[in-house]
Amino acid sequence: MDMTPIFGDLTAIAPMIILIIAALILPAVHLLAKKRTVTWAVALVLVIVSLVINVLMLTDNYVGTTLDMVQYNAYSGLMILLFQIVLFLAVLVSNASVETTRMHVGAYYSLLMGATLGMMFVAESSDLLTIFVGVELTSISSYAMVSMKRNDPRAAESAVKYVIIGGMSTALTIYGISMLYGLTGTTEIAAIAAQTQLEGINLMFGIALVSMIAGYGFKIAAVPFHMWAPDVYEGASTPVSLFLATGSKKMGLSVFFQIFLVMFVTGSSCAAIAGEEVQYLFAIIAAFTMTIGNVVAIAQNNIKRMLAYSSIAQAGYILIVMSVMNEYALSAGLFHMFTHVFMKGGAFLIVGALICAGIGEKISDYRGLAKKAPFLAFAMMLFLFSLAGIPPLAGFTSKFFLFSSAIGSVDGVTSQWVWLAFVAILNSAISLYYYARVVKAMYVEKGDNTDKIKIPAPFLAGIVICVVAVIVLGVYPQLIFDFCESAAAALL
C-alpha cells in the first residue's frame, strides 16, 4: 500500500512520525487521564499503528528519502521492523510489571518511544553524524529508563555505571568521527570510502577506525567493552532489560554494518588497503566476545546476569558477519538478530512474569517450576534451547546460516574463517551447559511449594507470541530470511 498520498515528502519517516507524536502526547495523556492503564493503551495503539505502516511500506518495496538526510529502503525498513517488535513487547508488559515506575508513567513511555526513535533514525542514516545523534538519543533515553525502577537501590547504581561507561563510549566515538572528518572533509560514509581510494589509509585513519570500533563496541557489549551489561540488566526493570538486550544491542550491530561493512565492502578501496587486517580484528573481537560471554555465564546464579552474559556471547556470534564481510553473511546475521529478539525477549518476559508472581531472580528460585507453571517452564526451556542452537528451533536455523557463512562462500570455496566457525560451534556447546542448569532446576529439582502460579495476561500474550515465532522461524525461515536477503542487497 502506497503511503505517499498520506505523508507526502515525509513518507520515508512515516513510522517515526507516529512515535514522535506518541512521545510528545503520552505525558499529557497521563496528566489528563490520571490512569496508568489509559496511558499504556494509547502507547500500545500508537506502536501498533507505526508497526503496521512500516510493514505496508516494507512489503510495498518503498524506497525514498526525506530532507536528503535519511533514506528508507529494504535494509532500514527491516531494521525498523525489528526495533518496533522490541518496542511492542516492552510496552505490552510494562503496565502489568510490578517493577516499572508508578510515578512518572507518561515520561517512562515517552522515553521508550524516544529510545526507539533513535534506533530507527540510525537505521535510515548514511552519515556518521546522523548515526551518532540517533545512537545518543537512544543512549540518553536508556540511562533514564534504567533508573526508573521502583524501590530498588540496584537501579540507581546500575544507571550511574551505565552513564559513566556510556560517556566514555560517546567520547571515543566522537573522537573517531572528528579524526575522519579532519582527514576527508566529510562525514558521509560512502564519500569517506571514495576519498580513501584517492589518498590511501594512514595512521590517523587507523586511530579513527579503532576509536569508533571501541566506542560502538560498548553499545553491543563486545569484549572488552562488556562490563556494564550484567549490572544494568540486573538493576533495570525487566521490560527495560528486555528492551536493552534485544533492541539497543541490535542498533549497535546495525551501526557496525552501516559504517564498516559499507566502508570495507562497497568502498573496495579500503578493502584493498586494509580490508584483511580489519576482518581479522573483528574475528578476534568476535572470538573473545562469544567465549568470555559463555564461560562467565556458567558461574552466574542470577538469571538476569546469566541472560546478560548470554547476550554478550550472542553479539559475538553476530560479529562473524564483520569478519566474513559478504552479502550472505549479512543476510544470516540479520536473520539471527530477528530470532534473537524472540528467544532472548521471551526469556526476559518469563523472568518478568515470575517476578510479578513473587518468584526471585536466582536460578535456585526456579526449582519445581514445571509443576507450578507448566507452560512457563516449557516456554523457558524452548527459548533456552533455541539460544543454544538445538534443532528444529529458530536459534538452530539462524546459527546454521551464520556459521555456514564463515565456513564457505556461496560459490562453494572454503573460507579462511573456518576456525571462527569452529570457535562459535564450540561456544554453542558450552552455552548448553548453563542453559541446561535452568532446565534441570525447573524439571528435575523439587521446589518448596507446589501452588499454581498466575501471571498477568499481557505477559502471557507476549510469551505466546515469542514461542510461536521461535517455532515457526525454525521450521520456515524464509518468512523473514527473504527480507534479510533483500536488506543485505540494499545495504551493500
Side-chain angles (χ1 to χ4, degrees):
M1 182 181 168
D2 187 11
M3 288 289 157
T4 317
I6 303 168
F7 292 97
D9 293 341
L10 300 175
T11 306
I13 57 167
M16 293 152 81
I17 289 170
I18 305 299
L19 293 192
I20 291 169
I21 292 166
L24 292 173
I25 69 166
L26 284 169
V29 169
H30 185 64
L31 194 69
L32 296 170
K34 301 277 194 302
K35 287 184 179 173
R36 285 186 302 111
T37 309
V38 174
T39 315
W40 167 76
V42 172
L44 194 63
V45 166
L46 288 168
V47 170
I48 292 168
V49 169
S50 174
L51 199 152
V52 168
I53 288 171
N54 183 47
V55 168
L56 292 172
M57 289 167 67
L58 194 59
T59 50
D60 195 40
N61 299 319
Y62 172 81
V63 177
T65 57
T66 294
L67 304 172
D68 293 329
M69 284 173 65
V70 291
Q71 181 182 31
Y72 186 99
N73 55 27
Y75 174 82
S76 56
L78 188 73
M79 289 308 300
I80 286 170
L81 178 64
L82 187 147
F83 301 142
Q84 287 171 326
I85 292 168
V86 171
L87 176 65
F88 171 76
L89 290 174
V91 170
L92 179 67
V93 299
S94 284
N95 191 53
S97 173
V98 295
E99 299 170 89
T100 45
T101 180
R102 295 289 187 267
M103 292 170 66
H104 311 286
V105 177
Y108 168 76
Y109 288 115
S110 282
L111 286 167
L112 267 175
M113 304 295 167
T116 311
L117 276 167
M119 297 175 190
M120 292 159 83
F121 197 54
V122 165
E124 291 199 358
S125 299
S126 59
D127 186 284
L128 293 178
L129 276 182
T130 48
I131 287 175
F132 176 78
V133 169
V135 169
E136 286 312 296
L137 176 57
T138 298
S139 300
I140 293 164
S141 303
S142 301
Y143 304 152
M145 283 192 296
V146 169
S147 65
M148 290 176 90
K149 188 177 176 183
R150 296 174 70 200
N151 312 323
D152 192 341
R154 290 182 306 172
E157 183 194 334
S158 59
V160 170
K161 286 179 183 172
Y162 196 14
V163 169
I164 292 168
I165 293 173
M168 287 165 56
S169 139
T170 300
L172 281 167
T173 306
I174 202 72
Y175 178 70
I177 291 171
S178 60
M179 292 271 277
L180 277 182
Y181 180 72
L183 274 169
T184 59
T186 180
T187 53
E188 182 123 11
I189 297 162
I192 290 169
Q195 188 82 1
T196 314
Q197 190 165 1
L198 302 173
E199 297 174 13
I201 290 174
N202 56 21
L203 181 63
M204 274 180 74
F205 187 92
I207 293 169
L209 219 57
V210 170
S211 295
M212 287 171 67
I213 290 171
Y216 288 125
F218 277 104
K219 302 300 179 195
I220 64 168
V223 172
F225 318 110
H226 65 290
M227 43 296 213
W228 62 271
D231 290 334
V232 170
Y233 291 8
E234 183 188 3
S237 64
T238 307
V240 173
S241 298
L242 179 157
F243 183 80
L244 295 176
T246 55
S248 181
K249 190 165 280 194
K250 304 301 178 293
M251 175 196 68
L253 288 160
S254 179
V255 169
F256 272 97
F257 299 158
Q258 285 166 253
I259 295 177
F260 302 108
L261 276 187
V262 169
M263 217 178 270
F264 286 93
V265 177
T266 56
S268 53
S269 53
C270 300
I273 304 162
E276 200 160 309
E277 288 85 343
V278 172
Q279 283 176 288
Y280 271 103
L281 174 63
F282 278 118
I284 291 162
I285 294 171
F288 273 107
T289 301
M290 62 179 87
T291 305
I292 289 172
N294 281 318
V295 169
V296 180
I298 292 170
Q300 303 307 312
N301 292 316
N302 181 295
I303 190 126
K304 276 189 175 183
R305 291 185 77 84
M306 188 205 81
L307 289 172
Y309 280 108
S310 155
S311 263
I312 292 166
Q314 298 290 332
Y317 299 142
I318 298 168
L319 281 174
I320 290 173
V321 176
M322 301 305 301
S323 310
V324 181
M325 283 194 177
N326 64 29
E327 206 173 289
Y328 176 69
L330 178 56
S331 306
L334 291 170
F335 182 58
H336 189 67
M337 282 158 72
F338 259 92
T339 60
H340 184 253
V341 165
F342 295 111
M343 301 183 290
K344 187 57 57 75
F348 270 112
L349 285 175
I350 291 172
V351 172
L354 292 174
I355 289 170
C356 291
I359 288 177
E361 294 174 18
K362 287 195 168 71
I363 293 172
S364 56
D365 295 325
Y366 284 50
R367 286 175 182 157
L369 187 67
K371 284 204 169 65
K372 292 183 276 190
F375 174 70
L376 290 191
F378 171 73
M380 186 60 130
M381 180 177 70
L382 211 64
F383 298 139
L384 295 178
F385 282 170
S386 184
L387 283 163
I390 303 291
L393 303 171
F396 167 77
T397 312
S398 57
K399 278 186 179 180
F400 177 79
F401 290 152
L402 191 54
F403 298 170
S404 64
S405 74
I407 292 168
S409 59
V410 183
D411 53 10
V413 179
T414 305
S415 149
Q416 74 211 61
W417 307 111
V418 172
W419 65 271
L420 187 57
F422 178 74
V423 171
I425 292 164
L426 201 63
N427 269 287
S428 284
I430 293 169
S431 72
L432 189 57
Y433 172 77
Y434 60 82
Y435 293 137
R437 271 180 65 209
V438 182
V439 177
K440 176 174 170 269
M442 294 189 300
Y443 279 92
V444 179
E445 296 172 12
K446 286 183 179 166
D448 298 332
N449 62 28
T450 53
D451 298 341
K452 294 289 181 192
I453 290 172
K454 282 189 175 178
I455 61 163
F459 275 100
L460 190 62
I463 293 163
V464 168
I465 290 167
C466 292
V467 165
V468 170
V470 163
I471 294 169
V472 170
L473 291 178
V475 179
Y476 184 54
Q478 297 309 123
L479 196 66
I480 292 286
F481 195 72
D482 289 345
F483 287 105
C484 295
E485 288 182 315
S486 305
L491 185 67
L492 301 179

